[in-house]
Every structure is written in C-alpha cells, then in structure tokens.
Amino acid sequence: MRACVPSAGTNVCLLSAPIFFSILLLVIQLLINNLFLTGPDFECGCQCLQCCYNNDANNCTLLESGFCDEDEGFECRSYNTTKCGLQYSSAEQSAFCPIPYPSNWPALTLTPEAVYRVDGDKPATTMLTTADSPVLASGIGALLVNQLAPAASSLLGLLDLIAGNATTGRPGIYETPAGSTDGVFNGYLLSELGMQMGSSVEPLSQNYLETSFQTPNETYVLLPQSACQAAGLSQTEPVSLIDFLAAYGSLVGLSGFAGDSIFNASSIMVTCTDTVIDTELSASDINTAVYCGYYQARCNGTQVLQQYTGAYDFYASSASGLSADVYYNGTFDGEGQDGQLPNLRIPAAVNLAVKAWFRYFVSQDASDVVPPTSLLAIMSMPKQATELKLDFSSLLGPLFYTWVVQLLFPTFLQQLVYEKEKRLRMMMKMHGLGDGAYWLVTYCWFTVLYIAYIAVFIIFGSAVGLQYFRKTNYGIQIIFYLLHGQCMIASAFLVSSFFTSSLTAVVFAYLYVFASGLIGSLLLQTFMNQNQLWVFFIEWVPAWSLYRGLYEIGQYAFLGVYRGTTGMQFDDLTASGNGMLPVWGIFIVEAFLFMLLGWYFEQVIASGNGTRRHWLFFLDSCRGRRKASAAEVALIPRAAAVAEGDAGPGGDEAINVKDTLAGIGQLADVEAERARVEDLLVAGATGDESIIVRDLHKVFPGRAGVGRRVAVESLTLAVGRGECFGLLGPNGAGKSTAINMLTGLLDVSGGQALIEGLPLGGNMDQIYKLMGTCPQHDLLWEQLTAEEHLLFYGRLKGLQKDALADAVTESLKSVNLLNWRNKPAGKFSGGMKRRLSVAISFMGQPKVVYLDEPSTGLDPASRRQLWEVVKGNREGRAVILTTHSMEEAEALCDRLGIFVDGRLVCIGDPKEIKRRYAGYLVFNILVPIEQEGAAKALVQRMSPNCVLTYCVAGMLKFELPTRDVAMSDVFAAVADARNAGGLTVVDWGVASATLEEVFIKLAKTMGAETGQYH
C-alpha cells in the first residue's frame, strides 16, 4: 500500500546515496595513499649510494651507515634497495622498518636551547624548586642533578661499562644481536653512569630512534653548577660522547669502540650543561616565572624568553610519601605528530623528582646517584615492517557515515509532514484509517526502506574494499544499524508533530544532519577520547549516539588495518572505554520513548491531523467510546451556555450565542429547524436523522492586531438518511468551515453534533468509518493511479476481493474514468481529479457523505453525469453538499440552507424558498433611451410597488411584487402599450425569480458581499 507512494526513481536515488559516498571515500583513499603517502619518507631507509651536498654531483659520498639528511642540505640521488634497515633510516623512517630488537634510549628531559635560557644563568640552564620549607626546597633541590657515578674502581671498569668486553660479559653501548642485521643501542648504560641528559629536539610519538642523537647540537648532559668548567668542558660547543667521558673522567686516548654504526659512542655529540637550581621561590612565583618565560606571555609588555628546564613544587613531601607538582615545557605545537610530542620527555622530568626525594628522605646518601627509583631507559615494543596506508573510511567514516546513514531522516520527515500538509493523512483518516494502522504501516514501510538502504551501504562498502566494513564483525554492524534505524524512524514521527510545512521540515532535517555530524567530528570526538562521563548524556541526542557508535567502529577498524588484525568483535564490546553497548541501550530506549511522545504530541498539537485533543486526554482513555444514550443526547452542551470570553472545547475564543441571536433575530424557517432539533434531542431519539447539529460555532482568534473572527455562529440543523442538504453562501460565509468541523479537520469552539448517534469529538475514529468526504481541494497522491486510489480507500472501508474490484470498476465507470484507470492522478486535468474525488467519497457505502463544491472545474456534460452519480448514491445516507451552482442545488438538494456571515439565515426545500422569498416577477424591457420615462411609467401603472434594479442605455430591469400583478397582466399591458404606438418596445421579457436571484437578494439584505461565491 505505502510502497507505491514514492516513485521508483525516488527509491533508486535514495539507495544510490551510500554507493556515491562509498565511492567518494574510496577515491580519496586511493589518491592520498598513492600520491601523497609514497616515497622514501614513508618507507624504511635504504643505503644511500650517492649522498650529494647542495645538489653538487662532484660532492657525493657513499654512506656505509646513516641517512642523507635533507634538512642539512644533502640529497640522495641513488639508493641500494637491497640493503635497507634501521641503520640507514631517519627517525621518521624508523617507524616503517622491521625492528625485532628495539634499542633502549636514556630518558631525556626537555631542555631549552642556550639562546632561550634564563638571562644571567645562560649558557647554564635553570630549574626552579619550592617546598613547604626553605630547608627542604634547598636540600631536595640540590639533589635534582648529580655528578656522574664512579662506575668502577679502575679506568678499565669505565671502559668495560661503555664498550663492553669478554672479561665482564656485559654488552656494550652498541651491539648486534644474533640473527639481526641492525644494531641495538643500550642507552641504559648511560643512565647507570648517573648521566642525566636533556634535549631541545621535538620527539616522535614512537621511540625506535631517538631524534636527539641524530641532531648534533641539541643533546645536553646536565651536571651540577660549575661542574662543566671544572672538567674543562665547554657549555656552547658539543663534543662526542667519548670525548665528554674522557674529559670528565680525566681520561685521554680512549678509542677502539667496536661497530660501524651511527650508534657508536664516538658519533653521539653532547654538550655539557651546568644546571642552576633556584630555591627561593614560592609556588605562585614559580607559576608566574614559568608563564612569563614563554615568548607569547608578554608579562612586561615585551617578548622575553626565559625558558626553564623544569620546575618542582614538593608540597607535603616527607619520608612517608612524595607529593609534588612537576612543570615542563608543553608549548611544542605538535605539527605532524598529532600533538603527542611532549609525552616522551615527561618521564625524565618526573624521574628527577622521584630520585631527588628518594635520595633525600630514604637513602639519605648524596653519592647514590643511581638509586633504585631511577628510570634507566625508554624502549618501544618490537615491531614488524609496516607501510603507511591510511584507511580513510575509518578515519573519515564517522563524519561521512553520520551524514550518509541519516540521509533517510529528511525523507521520512518530509513524507510524514507532506501527508499532513496536503491533508492526505486527514483524508485517509476520514475514510476510516485509524492512527494505529497508519503508524504501523508507515513504520513498516520506513523500516523496509531503511533495511534496503543499509544493506546497499554495507554490501557495496565491503565490495569496494573499505576496511571500515570488512574489519568489523558484520553481526555488530547489523545490530547497530538496525537499532539506530528504529530510533531514527521514531524520531521522524516525533519531529513531524511540530511541523506543518514539508519544505520547512526538510530544511530543518538537513541542517540537523549536517550540523550534528560536524559538531560530533570537531567537538565531541575530543571528549570521547578523554572518556568524559558527561559525554554519555550528550549521546542522548540521536545523531551523536550514532556518531559515537560509528567512531568506535572506525577506531577499531583503523587499528586493525595498522596492526594487520581484525576490527571490532563481540568480545571488544565489554572493553574499557568502548561506548558501543551504551549506544545500543540509548537507541532502544529512545525508539520506544520517541514513538510514545510522537503519538502524544500528534494528538494535542494542531498540525493538520484533525481535531486537537486535551493535554490530559489520556486520563479519560479508560472510559471507552460508545454511542450516546437517550439521556446523554438530551444533555449535549449548548453553545448558549458558554460564557463570554470562555474557551471552547477546541481552545478558541467562545461567543455568547444568546446575545448574538438576540441582536440579529431569527427567521421563521431557521427557528422551526432549531425547534425540530430541540424536540429530537429532548425526546432522546435521533430517528432517521444521520446528522444532528446544535449551536455549533467556530471563532478564530485574533492575530497581528486583528480581532477575533467568527466563522460560524450557532449552526443548528438535522439531516436525515436519504436526504441531500445543500449549503449555499457567498465567499467567507462559513460553509467550508462548517463542513471542516463536522469532518474533524477543525476544532469546534462551542456546541455539539451527533453523527449517526456518535458525539463529535471523542468518537472521531468511529465516525470516520461511517463517513465519506469530497474536500474542496483535491487531496490525491500524484504517483497513484485512479484505480489504486479507489483500491486503497475501498480496503479502508472493508471491501475485499471481488466486491472491491466490482466497486472500483463501477465507481470509475460512474465518473467516466474507466479508460484512465491506470493513469497517475498527477497527470489528470482538474475536472478528472474532481471526478476521482467524488468517486472516492462514495466508496464503501458510507452512512454520511460531505461534498464540498464537487462540480468545480467540470464541463457541463461531466457535471450532469456527476449529478446522476450523487442521485444514485444518496439512498440510505445523508449528504451535505456545498456548491456555487444554483442549478446544481435545485437538481440535487432536497433542502437548502443559506449561509451569510457565518449564520444560517434561511432553510427549506428549493421550491419553498423561492415561494417564500421570491414573491416577485422579474421584468426586463429594452426601449430607446429617450423613452425610458415612458417605460418606467408603464411599469408603475402595472405595479405601483415595483422596484427598479437596473437601468443602462434604455435597458431596464424591475421587480414586480406578485401581490400587485399577475404574469398575464404583464403580457396584456405590454401588448396594449405596443399597439397604442406610444412606446417603442425593442425587446422585453418577464419570468418568475430564480433561486440565484433569491440568494443574491437575501445575501444583500443580510449585508453580505456577493462578488464571488464560496
């Protein structure tokens, strides 16, 4: 049923969206991986055969080890691709090399370059220290940096420690493990000497190669103040590690360190650096000094560089425990390293504080320069060879897929609001389709469409090789997307309650989809990484819970690609920090909650879906619905009982009907109809009357400075079975408003009505099953054919199989649409649409039919054929008809009611109305213009009470009261005037007043404008 509404082209377009976005991600991934992430910088380094300086072919060298550093002006023109490894790689290239035996590197503290250090101390570097007491600050601060340890009792012992030999059995600072072609640097040996090293070089996020040891001028050995001068070492010129040890240990001529690698001790360049410990500061002073030393602080209005190696606040530190704040320089911008640069420099700064506390409180031995709490080295885990092939479907997937998966949300919302906006929903409801059935069928259709959409999404994404789909367990994906689909469909039902324009709804939906994805990517992702507790509450916004789930899938898939493993599996759902299970729970709760709220708001918000119910209507649900008893019928509330200014049942302003009636008076026929209705209600039996209306009125509240507008005042009438009742009136008289109240399209402001014994309002679902409607404007689906429309509404009325097929064929034949049964309604002319609307109104043998201007736009032949349809179908049912055509009213209606300014001013059968209100003849005469006076005199003699209604260029029109003259007298008088020769009569005519003339005269009498009919 519902699947027929969207066109096949629309469905294909919807299903192609995930294909388009999957291809887009694949193209981006291929372009970046093959154009930007290729070349020597993204591979393990190979031996350079021609390393040329300044691009000079005559200044090239074969490198036995190391790499050709472009930052220093070198360029490698040729590589030996058969000889690759860590010894030929830069720090960046080392990430791609196979490293079964990683090197261990001494922990380096972040130390500013000499030019940026504190004025007055440089070239020495400075550390700041404070504690609960000056004595503690001075004592513990003096132990932050120490002399080197006496590693052995002889010079040979120091040589053995650094170089290693067979007599000690210990490895040297550089060794080549068995089965490996790459050397291993044993940096822990330097730490065992008590050597505290610093660096101003930015580290990488991994530590396979220490970037500082590949930069000759930015590695420092931190010693106590004046130690460098005592050893005869410069604080501005770097020396090799061997020369440093030789000078510091008064050693000379050390040589013979094995190995031809860049890791041997002679290739490591270090600069001796004295360390000044400033202990005369408070914690606030340290904060100020550290902050103001940053070049962008401008504490004194100028840029001043006063950078510190570190600062320490040993608050509450004692022998029983260490409590300290450690300050370090965190101003590295993290360019190219995802902001992780300072992390590998923090351990050394923290370990300085730990060692100083241990030596001061625990060992109480200043010479214990390598206490048990020393951090000897930092080492990364062994790894296989890797290549940088980023899976952009995992990196960009959460953002892209948040958009892709939610693209159905605007479609769902547009369809729901469109059917209310065009009143198709109300049309279905008026033909018996209950809210529950509508919601169930629509929900099922949306679910089928969503499943097809997601199936294309997953299958095609997997087929084109996107690892986001391939790495993740398909069971997890299916559960995740299905749960989200239920939540999204439910949210579409909820949001649709607040919109009356489908265009506005679509704009809102697309803004929501794109904004939620961007906010999730730019803001929420940061908090998700931090695992903030309050993020769980933010995820109750459906789009952000979707983003969280997609983000989790993407992270696991990315790691799976990088590590060569799988992505998210069911075992991972319970892992710490995995937010998938909470997201599933949110989807389940919101699916039920949103559907409940959507149903509730649809009942209480006037959004084009019928009459609005009270906010607490659910409290009356236990009472059930039934026909009104005789006693209840007599107690139907009267509009006259509504006080001035009180709100009616629909929430609109009420009017005081008694005062209104007293002001305008009531004509006898209207009073008689009111008395008849009162008698029916007092008797407690509706008899053959299908429709009973008493004191029904509608008041629209004032807006934009305009006062309230009364559309219908005290409408009281009864329409019996088999009767066709016509409502006539000029534009704005209130005819359509009255019908809209009876059909449930508008709330009533006061009064009440019975439809087949069921009170209007709380029993609309039952009333709709008895009702057929042809609205003033055609409410049709443009994609459905005429036959499909009738099949749909016939099923709503309970017709099945052969009875349904026969009823559809008969209906199409009756309105002359049989030859166009398979033509979409969107291609119909206005008249054909009108005939289809009339056919729909009579489908299923309804008890009550409302025809609002059914013949509008029809040619004369179709109009008369339509009249025959109405005549043939009114037996046994009540029909209320509004029309512009007086001829149609006379041909179809048993009784007529004339509306003027919202009031019923006349009621009766057409002949009776003409007899009662048309007590005159209409006399037309055409004479020469100079004989107009003679013509007026002639008519005056015939009827002294005549009324001249028209006079232009010799054409005169009169109304002649029948009490003054008979039609035969008019013929005789005109014949005598022509025979006498005194009056030249060019043309003349006389006729009884028509219903249209009666209507116009009555409308003018009541003060209404009649330029157009409504």
Side-chain angles (χ1 to χ4, degrees):
M1 177 177 67
R2 299 276 306 158
C4 300
V5 177
S7 65
T10 302
N11 291 335
V12 171
C13 183
L14 285 174
L15 296 179
S16 66
I19 297 177
F20 169 77
F21 279 99
S22 295
I23 293 177
L24 178 62
L25 275 180
L26 179 63
V27 170
I28 293 175
Q29 180 169 307
L30 292 176
L31 287 176
I32 292 180
N33 282 336
N34 292 295
L35 294 180
F36 301 103
L37 300 182
T38 58
D41 290 340
F42 301 97
E43 299 171 352
C44 183
C46 296
Q47 181 186 24
C48 182
L49 301 178
Q50 286 184 296
C51 183
C52 304
Y53 184 70
N54 286 338
N55 202 24
D56 184 0
N58 297 321
N59 191 11
C60 298
T61 306
L62 170 67
L63 297 183
E64 295 296 336
S65 64
F67 66 100
C68 202
D69 193 350
E70 295 181 357
D71 293 337
E72 298 296 330
F74 294 92
E75 180 182 2
C76 185
R77 293 189 170 187
S78 176
Y79 290 98
N80 180 6
T81 56
T82 64
K83 198 172 183 180
C84 303
L86 193 62
Q87 65 268 36
Y88 305 110
S89 302
S90 66
E92 290 81 4
Q93 290 176 316
S94 66
F96 305 104
C97 297
I99 307 177
Y101 304 99
S103 295
N104 55 86
W105 305 94
L108 275 61
T109 186
L110 202 57
T111 303
E113 297 180 48
V115 67
Y116 300 141
R117 295 170 187 166
V118 177
D119 292 337
D121 293 338
K122 59 185 176 184
T125 190
T126 307
M127 291 186 181
L128 305 177
T129 305
T130 187
D132 291 342
S133 68
V135 174
L136 177 59
S138 176
I140 202 170
L143 300 176
L144 285 171
V145 180
N146 51 261
Q147 300 281 1
L148 298 192
S153 59
S154 65
L155 298 180
L156 181 59
L158 183 59
L159 179 63
D160 289 340
L161 181 61
I162 298 301
N165 60 38
T167 60
T168 63
R170 301 190 60 184
I173 199 169
Y174 176 80
E175 65 171 334
T176 302
S180 174
T181 58
D182 294 327
V184 174
F185 185 84
N186 291 313
Y188 75 90
L189 295 175
L190 300 178
S191 299
E192 285 189 349
L193 283 175
M195 186 179 293
Q196 178 57 55
M197 306 183 75
S199 175
S200 56
V201 179
E202 299 178 359
L204 300 176
S205 57
Q206 44 79 18
N207 205 37
Y208 293 108
L209 281 180
E210 174 53 68
T211 54
S212 182
F213 288 171
Q214 293 185 322
T215 308
N217 298 325
E218 297 185 48
T219 304
Y220 314 100
V221 178
L222 305 182
L223 295 174
Q225 191 171 0
S226 302
C228 292
Q229 182 179 0
L233 292 170
S234 170
Q235 294 192 69
T236 58
E237 296 296 331
V239 296
S240 70
L241 180 58
I242 290 178
D243 292 339
F244 173 84
L245 292 174
Y248 194 82
S250 299
L251 302 177
V252 292
L254 275 176
S255 62
F257 287 90
D260 58 355
S261 167
I262 60 171
F263 298 131
N264 60 52
S266 62
S267 66
I268 299 176
M269 306 298 293
V270 298
T271 302
C272 188
T273 303
D274 287 342
T275 305
V276 177
I277 307 298
D278 189 347
T279 61
E280 298 180 359
L281 296 172
S282 63
S284 61
D285 293 335
I286 288 181
N287 274 318
T288 302
V290 171
Y291 173 74
C292 292
Y294 183 49
Y295 77 99
Q296 290 186 348
R298 296 180 178 271
C299 291
N300 300 316
T302 58
Q303 273 191 352
V304 178
L305 289 172
Q306 302 280 341
Q307 295 185 3
Y308 299 87
T309 295
Y312 299 88
D313 179 8
F314 290 94
Y315 67 93
S317 292
S318 64
S320 60
L322 169 64
S323 296
D325 287 335
V326 179
Y327 299 78
Y328 66 93
N329 187 349
T331 58
F332 281 151
D333 58 11
E335 182 178 357
Q337 297 298 329
D338 195 23
Q340 300 180 15
L341 295 180
N343 292 346
L344 293 179
R345 299 291 186 247
I346 297 175
V350 174
N351 191 241
L352 287 179
V354 174
K355 289 197 301 181
W357 169 83
F358 186 89
R359 293 165 64 195
Y360 186 84
F361 285 107
V362 181
S363 68
Q364 299 181 355
D365 182 3
S367 64
D368 184 14
V369 296
V370 189
T373 56
S374 298
L375 174 63
L376 296 181
I378 297 176
M379 183 177 72
S380 295
M381 297 296 292
K383 63 180 289 293
Q384 298 176 342
T386 56
E387 61 178 348
L388 186 59
K389 293 294 184 182
L390 296 182
D391 182 40
F392 280 86
S393 66
S394 300
L395 289 177
L396 301 180
L399 173 60
F400 267 78
Y401 298 152
T402 298
W403 291 339
V404 174
V405 175
Q406 290 189 108
L407 280 182
L408 285 180
F409 178 73
T411 302
F412 293 162
L413 185 61
Q414 188 270 342
Q415 290 188 27
L416 290 170
V417 178
Y418 177 82
E419 289 183 343
K420 291 193 297 182
E421 178 186 15
K422 301 301 182 182
R423 295 197 170 181
L424 294 169
R425 170 77 184 279
M426 196 61 209
M427 187 69 174
M428 292 185 286
K429 194 171 184 178
M430 288 188 295
H431 284 80
L433 181 63
D435 288 339
Y438 172 84
W439 277 45
L440 178 61
V441 174
T442 305
Y443 192 97
C444 291
W445 163 239
F446 284 172
T447 300
V448 169
L449 183 60
Y450 178 83
I451 291 174
Y453 183 88
I454 292 299
V456 172
F457 181 49
I458 296 176
I459 294 173
F460 190 82
S462 301
V464 298
L466 296 181
Q467 298 302 318
Y468 184 91
F469 301 99
R470 288 187 166 187
K471 291 290 185 180
T472 307
N473 184 282
Y474 285 104
I476 292 178
Q477 295 185 66
I478 291 172
I479 294 173
F480 172 72
Y481 290 121
L482 282 180
L483 291 179
H484 169 262
Q486 309 315 303
C487 181
M488 184 174 68
I489 294 171
S491 63
F493 276 99
L494 172 60
V495 176
S496 69
S497 301
F498 301 96
F499 288 96
T500 55
S501 168
S502 58
L503 179 60
T504 304
V506 168
V507 171
F508 164 81
Y510 277 112
L511 288 176
Y512 166 77
V513 169
F514 285 100
S516 61
L518 289 175
I519 292 175
S521 178
L522 300 177
L523 183 61
L524 292 182
Q525 181 173 323
T526 302
F527 300 119
M528 291 175 187
N529 288 332
Q530 298 173 359
N531 203 23
Q532 297 284 354
L533 178 62
W534 55 267
V535 171
F536 171 76
F537 300 99
I538 298 296
E539 290 170 2
W540 283 85
V541 177
W544 292 338
S545 56
L546 170 66
Y547 183 88
R548 177 60 184 270
L550 294 172
Y551 176 75
E552 295 289 352
I553 293 176
Q555 290 298 297
Y556 277 86
F558 181 79
L559 291 176
V561 172
Y562 181 76
R563 297 170 177 172
T565 60
T566 60
M568 185 183 294
Q569 305 298 314
F570 279 102
D571 292 341
D572 299 319
L573 296 178
T574 57
S576 176
N578 190 320
M580 183 62 77
L581 287 180
V583 166
W584 289 2
I586 290 173
F587 285 157
I588 294 172
V589 173
E590 287 186 336
F592 287 101
L593 180 62
F594 287 168
M595 288 299 290
L596 180 63
L597 291 176
W599 171 78
Y600 173 75
F601 284 118
E602 186 178 79
Q603 307 301 312
V604 300
I605 295 177
S607 57
N609 190 40
T611 55
R612 184 173 68 246
R613 301 173 72 177
H614 192 275
W615 288 90
L616 299 177
F617 72 92
F618 52 86
L619 297 179
D620 297 330
S621 60
C622 60
R623 300 191 311 183
R625 296 173 180 173
R626 54 186 176 83
K627 280 196 173 186
S629 65
E632 290 171 330
V633 169
L635 295 175
I636 293 178
R638 301 188 55 167
V642 181
E644 182 77 29
D646 288 346
D652 298 318
E653 297 178 64
I655 58 174
N656 192 308
V657 179
K658 283 186 175 179
D659 293 344
T660 303
L661 298 182
I664 65 171
Q666 289 285 315
L667 299 177
D669 49 0
V670 178
E671 284 288 2
E673 182 70 9
R674 174 178 291 275
R676 186 170 78 94
V677 170
E678 296 289 350
D679 291 340
L680 287 172
L681 297 179
V682 171
T686 59
D688 292 332
E689 308 300 326
S690 286
I691 303 173
I692 299 179
V693 180
R694 182 168 70 176
D695 290 336
L696 198 66
H697 68 272
K698 178 66 178 178
V699 181
F700 292 102
R703 294 179 180 176
V706 179
R708 66 179 187 177
R709 185 172 70 86
V710 180
V712 176
E713 285 188 39
S714 191
L715 174 62
T716 302
L717 57 87
V719 181
R721 298 181 184 88
E723 178 184 0
C724 181
F725 185 87
L727 285 179
L728 306 178
N731 276 347
K735 307 183 304 298
S736 293
T737 301
I739 286 184
N740 287 341
M741 286 192 290
L742 293 175
T743 57
L745 281 174
L746 290 176
D747 297 327
V748 298
S749 299
Q752 187 56 277
L754 291 178
I755 310 298
E756 286 293 330
L758 296 168
L760 190 70
N763 297 273
M764 291 308 300
D765 288 344
Q766 293 184 3
I767 292 174
Y768 287 144
K769 296 177 182 179
L770 308 173
M771 188 174 72
T773 303
C774 174
Q776 186 176 20
H777 304 287
D778 298 308
L779 306 180
L780 305 171
W781 286 282
E782 295 185 352
Q783 298 90 348
L784 294 185
T785 65
E787 183 177 38
E788 288 171 341
H789 274 93
L790 294 176
L791 286 171
F792 173 65
Y793 287 111
R795 290 191 182 100
L796 292 183
K797 295 295 185 180
L799 299 178
Q800 297 178 359
K801 298 181 180 180
D802 293 342
L804 176 62
D806 293 343
V808 169
T809 301
E810 185 62 32
S811 295
L812 290 171
K813 186 183 300 183
S814 66
V815 294
N816 197 25
L817 289 177
L818 189 61
N819 293 332
W820 294 275
R821 65 191 306 164
N822 296 318
K823 185 176 182 179
K827 297 181 180 180
F828 280 4
S829 65
M832 295 171 72
K833 291 180 179 180
R834 211 69 198 123
R835 282 182 275 160
L836 178 58
S837 296
V838 173
I840 290 173
S841 68
F842 285 107
M843 279 297 293
Q845 302 297 317
K847 298 289 185 180
V848 177
V849 178
Y850 301 98
L851 303 175
D852 197 355
E853 302 177 11
S855 62
T856 302
L858 297 184
D859 59 84
S862 298
R863 182 182 299 115
R864 292 193 175 275
Q865 187 177 17
L866 181 65
W867 293 353
E868 295 301 321
V869 173
V870 176
K871 289 179 180 178
N873 284 278
R874 71 181 185 181
E875 183 179 355
R877 61 178 57 90
V879 179
I880 293 184
L881 168 77
T882 67
T883 181
H884 290 172
S885 170
M886 300 301 114
E887 181 184 10
E888 181 173 271
E890 287 191 87
L892 296 179
C893 298
D894 300 297
R895 289 194 303 158
L896 296 175
I898 298 179
F899 252 54
V900 178
D901 288 341
R903 303 188 301 269
L904 187 63
V905 298
C906 173
I907 191 170
D909 64 70
K911 293 181 180 179
E912 181 185 356
I913 290 177
K914 287 195 293 183
R915 179 184 58 79
R916 188 185 309 154
Y917 298 104
Y920 58 89
L921 301 176
V922 178
F923 177 69
N924 297 281
I925 186 170
L926 177 62
V927 298
I929 192 170
E930 64 273 9
Q931 294 186 357
E932 285 184 356
K936 292 178 181 179
L938 170 65
V939 176
Q940 188 68 33
R941 289 194 298 272
M942 286 191 296
S943 175
N945 295 310
C946 67
V947 177
L948 177 66
T949 60
Y950 182 82
C951 179
V952 175
M955 182 64 195
L956 295 89
K957 183 177 182 179
F958 296 89
E959 291 181 358
L960 309 179
T962 53
R963 65 177 181 273
D964 291 347
V965 61
M967 189 173 291
S968 58
D969 297 332
V970 176
F971 277 90
V974 173
D976 292 343
R978 298 177 74 172
N979 293 333
L983 181 63
T984 302
V985 179
V986 180
D987 193 15
W988 72 283
V990 64
S992 299
T994 64
L995 183 62
E996 182 173 358
E997 289 170 325
V998 171
F999 167 71
I1000 295 174
K1001 184 178 181 66
L1002 190 58
K1004 285 184 177 180
T1005 303
M1006 301 302 295
E1009 294 185 23
T1010 56
Q1012 288 180 311
Y1013 295 107
H1014 179 62

